[in-house]
């Protein structure tokens, strides 16, 4: 390990890359991950169909798209938060819906389509294959299906949430209020 002389002018980038082995590569990977996620059109917060919840889509460390519930319109029942009580894995039945990972394993097929993933429906405890198509910057179609056959499924439409420029804050149960008013909802 080399150390600069006290009276020498220190070139900070070379000093740090020589001082901490691998830091240059680590910083490049971190920068690439941050920039990629910031520019990605899928990595946002979306209202699910009907506006009952918000799901944050993000890139996991393995480069696959995942999603978790970050807001619920009705997340409290009888004074208690909703829990994953119908999960087929009994060890997971204590997990609250808020923060629950429900999407995993999606990979980018094109700039407007991510495919080959799984989605979990906590209201029924079922897993489905899924893919997502970005119809426009504010509209995402999610197709859930069974047996690996897209025609054996159902499509729902998710809408971009207004708060995508703010950090995601999972509210405490007392902060969960009335749900959103959706703009351009063809079902209203």
């Amino acid at each position: 390990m080399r150390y600069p002389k006290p009276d020498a002018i220190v070139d900070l980038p070379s000093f740090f890359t020589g001082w901490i082995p691998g830091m240059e590569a680590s910083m490049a990977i971190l920068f690439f991950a941050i920039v990629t996620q910031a520019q990605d059109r899928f990595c946002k917060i979306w209202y699910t169909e009907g506006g009952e919840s918000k799901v944050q889509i993000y890139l996991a460390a393995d480069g696959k798209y995942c999603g978790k519930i970050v807001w619920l319109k009705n997340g409290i029942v009888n004074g208690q938060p909703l829990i994953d009580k119908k999960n087929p894995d009994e060890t997971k039945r204590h997990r609250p819906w808020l923060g629950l990972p429900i999407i995993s394993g999606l990979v980018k097929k094109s700039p407007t389509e991510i495919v080959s993933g799984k989605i979990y429906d906590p209201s029924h405890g079922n897993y489905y294959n899924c893919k997502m198509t970005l119809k426009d910057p504010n509209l995402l179609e999610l197709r859930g299906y069974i047996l690996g056959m897209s025609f054996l499924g159902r499509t729902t439409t998710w809408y971009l949430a207004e708060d995508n420029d703010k950090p995601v804050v999972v509210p405490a149960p007392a902060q969960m209020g009335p749900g959103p008013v959706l703009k351009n909802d063809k079902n209203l």
Side-chain angles (χ1 to χ4, degrees), residues 67 69 72 81-103 120-122 125 127:
I69 299 171
L72 292 163
L82 285 175
I83 60 167
D84 191 15
K85 64 183 177 185
K86 294 189 178 178
N87 195 305
D89 181 348
E90 289 183 24
T91 64
K92 295 181 178 181
R93 291 185 183 164
H94 67 281
R95 302 182 307 170
W97 279 25
L98 202 55
L100 187 68
I102 61 167
I103 297 170
Y120 174 65
D121 174 6
Y127 288 89

Side-chain angles (χ1 to χ4, degrees), residues 5-53:
K5 295 179 183 174
D7 59 345
I9 297 174
V10 177
D11 175 21
L12 286 178
S14 65
F15 170 74
F16 282 114
T17 56
W19 187 44
I20 301 173
M23 184 173 182
E24 188 174 85
S26 298
M27 292 303 289
I29 291 169
L30 177 63
F31 176 75
F32 177 74
I34 291 169
V35 169
T36 301
Q37 186 137 342
Q39 294 176 345
D40 197 288
R41 299 181 334 176
F42 291 98
C43 293
K44 299 183 186 237
I45 300 169
W46 300 89
Y47 283 121
T48 58
E49 194 166 83
E52 296 295 317
S53 62

Side-chain angles (χ1 to χ4, degrees), residues 148-164:
M149 295 180 240
S150 182
F151 65 90
L152 294 175
R154 175 173 95 84
T155 300
T156 63
T157 303
W158 291 9
Y159 300 89
L160 187 65
E162 302 88 34
D163 53 359
N164 275 295

Side-chain angles (χ1 to χ4, degrees), residues 50-109:
E52 296 295 317
S53 62
K54 289 182 188 178
V55 173
Q56 178 188 19
I57 307 276
Y58 58 93
L59 273 173
D62 64 0
K64 294 183 179 181
Y65 292 85
C66 297
K68 63 182 175 181
I69 299 171
V70 294
W71 178 85
L72 292 163
K73 181 177 181 180
N74 300 307
I76 303 290
V77 176
N78 298 324
Q80 298 294 316
L82 285 175
I83 60 167
D84 191 15
K85 64 183 177 185
K86 294 189 178 178
N87 195 305
D89 181 348
E90 289 183 24
T91 64
K92 295 181 178 181
R93 291 185 183 164
H94 67 281
R95 302 182 307 170
W97 279 25
L98 202 55
L100 187 68
I102 61 167
I103 297 170
S104 63
L106 287 161
V107 294
K108 189 174 267 189
K109 180 178 179 181

